[in-house]
Amino acid sequence: MTTKPKLCYFRGRGRMESIRWLLAAAGVEFEEEFIETREQYEKLQKEGLLLFGQVPMVEIDGMVLTQTRAILSYLAAKYDSYGKDLKETVRINMYADGTLDLMMMIALAAFKPPEEKEENLTLIVKKAKTRYFPVFEKILNDRGEDFLVGNKFSWADIQLLEVILMVEELDASVLADFPLLKAFEARISNIPTIRKFLQPGSPRKLEAAPR
Amino acid sequence: MLNTAVSIGSDSSRSLPHYSSFSRPAGPVSLQTAGRALCEAPGTPSGLQFDEEFLETKEQLQKLQDGNHLLFQQVPMVEIDGMKLVQTRSILHYIAEKHHLFGKDLKERTLIDMYVEGTLDLLELIIMHPFLKPDDQQKEVVNMAQKAIIRYFPVFEKVLREHGQRFLVGNQLSLADVILLQTILALEEKIPNILSAFPHLQEFTVKISNIPTIKKFLEPGSKKKPPPDDIYVRTVYNIFMP
């Protein structure tokens, strides 16, 4: 029996959430070690498990991986969610990178002082509606396919669903002008592994950041 | 603790400076502000020829955006193989994969990826430095030096010391080596003795710099860009500030 991957991070979304999504979408069960004290963190560092002294960290396939994007790329390749050739892979990478930028803005907003937060979140919703969502709406429109790349479910689709849901938490009507994204959201949410992840009790985190 | 570095290639309205693109056949075409290019790195070891189109005015940027040449309205953008690639990491991965700078298998690739991601976090500090307020700039040099010496260099020094090979991964040149060299050289411009406690990195710097294509890139007259100056900073502000 193979050991389950082990995720090491704070009890919150932060930079680990996209990794949770990808594993869940691939139907892979995983364990989580939540960092809750300074001592825990220092212990991990002393054990040499954190390459640059940082988390996320994922133990998988006999390796200790850090650096969010490196982990995501590994998992996407491993679970056949990275396109069939280099041209598809680069498109998936570009779309994922775009969504990661937007998600990072949302994650960082949690650390802003209260008086700046409101303005910040409004700006994020605006960016979503003017810079990111139109791009994906257009791709779905131009290709007329169910998925973003290669007519096949890929890491890019998981990332897009994840960011749509995150922005909807800030503004429930954000997809009002994006009918194809609305349909995409429903369609991808219904993939069995993803539907399971969206149910209560799954490893999905609801807190942006730990308190 | 939390890696709070913003990903490179993110919000161009926060004035990210480096833009280049490749295309064929007559030689690639790139768009770039007259400044240091993150995209410098991939062109070097494969000896790939590329052209550059430099962003110098707001009108130019507007034209690119209106013409839908920039996927998320941002640069860098590289035209290559019939595609318009954006997002620095995606561009780097594509070029590395295509030109065999990404290891021989998935495990090597992932290791290279980890090293590159870490180094890019450090390089990001250098890239953003000229855009800090003058009062903050000196403090930031100290911060960069500390991060390099405490967090990043010890890792690579150890890797090189332990396997005794010339390159970081798999005994062959990879993207990790190129990005690390770029970062070391950029840091040395600000902090000349930054490698004083790292003999293996010093040797690494010399050896990688001597690879013919890289050596050529480091010579005067190449496309490598000089350190950012006031003209560069002003140009970027003019283009990206509303």
Side-chain angles (χ1 to χ4, degrees):
Chain A
M1 189 166 76
T2 41
T3 27
K4 294 181 193 170
K6 189 164 111 169
L7 275 52
C8 197
Y9 197 65
F10 313 107
R11 193 188 296 269
R13 288 180 179 170
R15 289 176 184 269
M16 186 61 101
E17 194 69 356
S18 290
I19 294 167
R20 297 183 183 110
W21 268 88
L22 186 44
L23 285 167
V28 176
E29 281 186 25
F30 53 90
E31 288 172 4
E32 297 198 77
E33 184 182 319
F34 296 112
I35 299 173
E36 271 147 355
T37 65
R38 178 122 204 127
E39 290 70 35
Q40 255 180 300
Y41 195 83
E42 283 171 356
K43 184 161 178 278
L44 287 166
Q45 278 184 292
K46 274 204 197 79
E47 287 170 0
L49 292 171
L50 307 180
L51 185 66
F52 299 113
Q54 299 165 323
V55 286
M57 183 269 274
V58 174
E59 289 180 64
I60 185 170
D61 299 336
M63 297 181 293
V64 178
L65 302 182
T66 57
Q67 297 295 334
T68 311
R69 269 228 62 322
I71 297 167
L72 288 167
S73 287
Y74 177 76
L75 296 175
K78 186 183 154 102
Y79 298 115
D80 197 29
S81 306
Y82 223 172
K84 71 176 195 291
D85 56 28
L86 189 52
K87 287 205 170 188
E88 285 194 353
T89 301
V90 76
R91 284 181 56 213
I92 291 169
N93 268 332
M94 287 196 289
Y95 302 159
D97 275 344
T99 62
L100 285 169
D101 282 348
L102 183 54
M103 282 194 262
M104 210 25 57
M105 288 181 219
I106 299 173
L108 290 175
F111 294 94
K112 291 264 189 297
E115 58 277 10
E116 278 181 44
K117 215 176 262 193
E118 181 78 42
E119 195 191 320
N120 214 276
L121 294 178
T122 308
L123 181 65
I124 288 168
V125 172
K126 186 169 175 227
K127 279 246 157 72
K129 290 208 277 203
T130 54
R131 176 174 285 184
Y132 294 100
F133 289 171
V135 171
F136 296 116
E137 182 80 5
K138 183 172 193 290
I139 291 164
L140 291 171
N141 185 51
D142 290 350
R143 294 197 172 242
E145 290 167 2
D146 283 352
F147 309 106
L148 287 170
V149 179
N151 209 13
K152 183 176 180 235
F153 181 59
S154 78
W155 174 37
D157 301 302
I158 302 168
Q159 289 286 132
L160 180 56
L161 176 63
E162 186 188 353
V163 78
I164 284 173
L165 294 178
M166 280 178 83
V167 180
E168 277 184 333
E169 285 170 357
L170 303 177
D171 176 354
S173 69
V174 73
L175 287 190
D177 297 326
F178 303 102
L180 296 178
L181 284 181
K182 199 85 194 134
F184 174 89
E185 182 190 9
R187 193 164 60 240
I188 306 302
S189 299
N190 267 309
I191 291 172
T193 48
I194 293 185
R195 193 168 60 226
K196 190 172 171 202
F197 188 62
L198 292 173
Q199 279 160 7
S202 83
R204 186 170 181 234
K205 299 296 171 284
L206 301 173
E207 290 284 325
R211 292 189 208 284
Chain B
M1 294 220 301
L2 245 193
N3 178 6
T4 56
V6 175
S7 77
I8 296 176
S10 62
D11 191 341
S12 63
S13 70
R14 288 169 58 245
S15 47
L16 279 192
H18 316 300
Y19 319 102
S20 70
S21 87
F22 301 153
S23 80
R24 45 177 212 71
V29 170
S30 72
L31 284 100
Q32 183 175 11
T33 58
R36 189 71 63 77
L38 187 60
C39 293
E40 283 177 352
T44 60
S46 53
L48 182 73
Q49 300 275 3
F50 59 94
D51 293 337
E52 300 190 88
E53 196 179 308
F54 298 110
L55 273 185
E56 267 148 1
T57 66
K58 211 194 266 285
E59 288 70 36
Q60 259 178 302
L61 177 65
Q62 198 63 54
K63 193 158 171 254
L64 285 167
Q65 290 173 330
D66 294 342
N68 285 317
H69 298 290
L70 307 176
L71 187 65
F72 299 116
Q73 310 306 327
Q74 298 165 323
V75 284
M77 187 272 273
V78 174
E79 285 186 59
I80 185 170
D81 299 337
M83 298 179 291
K84 292 189 167 75
L85 303 185
V86 297
Q87 293 288 343
T88 308
R89 280 166 172 79
S90 295
I91 298 167
L92 286 172
H93 282 193
Y94 180 79
I95 295 172
E97 188 77 55
K98 191 171 175 210
H99 294 281
H100 310 294
L101 294 171
F102 228 168
K104 70 177 194 293
D105 56 28
L106 184 55
K107 286 208 170 185
E108 281 194 355
R109 197 185 84 184
T110 303
L111 195 54
I112 291 165
D113 224 350
M114 280 170 52
Y115 294 163
V116 167
E117 288 292 306
T119 313
L120 284 176
D121 284 346
L122 183 55
L123 186 61
E124 168 96 30
L125 299 179
I126 300 165
I127 291 174
M128 297 308 267
H129 185 259
F131 301 96
L132 296 173
K133 292 197 202 82
D135 291 340
D136 293 334
Q137 283 186 7
Q138 188 44 43
K139 217 174 18 159
E140 184 61 13
V141 173
V142 173
N143 177 42
M144 273 187 234
Q146 279 180 342
K147 283 244 158 71
I149 291 169
I150 296 170
R151 175 176 283 180
Y152 296 103
F153 287 173
V155 172
F156 298 119
E157 181 78 6
K158 182 170 188 267
V159 166
L160 291 168
R161 189 180 63 236
E162 284 184 352
H163 64 37
Q165 291 166 3
R166 190 152 61 121
F167 306 105
L168 286 170
V169 178
N171 213 11
Q172 63 176 349
L173 183 69
S174 76
L175 185 63
D177 303 300
V178 178
I179 299 288
L180 181 57
L181 177 67
Q182 180 192 4
T183 304
I184 286 172
L185 295 179
L187 276 170
E188 279 183 333
E189 283 167 0
K190 294 194 177 352
I191 311 146
N193 62 346
I194 190 113
L195 286 188
S196 56
F198 303 99
H200 290 89
L201 282 178
Q202 287 174 36
E203 203 184 322
F204 169 87
T205 303
V206 171
K207 285 189 177 155
I208 306 300
S209 299
N210 272 311
I211 290 171
T213 47
I214 294 182
K215 191 164 172 194
K216 192 168 169 209
F217 189 66
L218 294 174
E219 281 162 4
S222 83
K223 291 205 165 77
K224 186 175 192 295
K225 299 297 170 285
D229 58 15
D230 288 335
I231 297 172
Y232 167 73
V233 174
R234 244 181 293 134
T235 306
V236 176
Y237 274 130
N238 286 339
I239 294 171
F240 290 104
M241 285 300 126

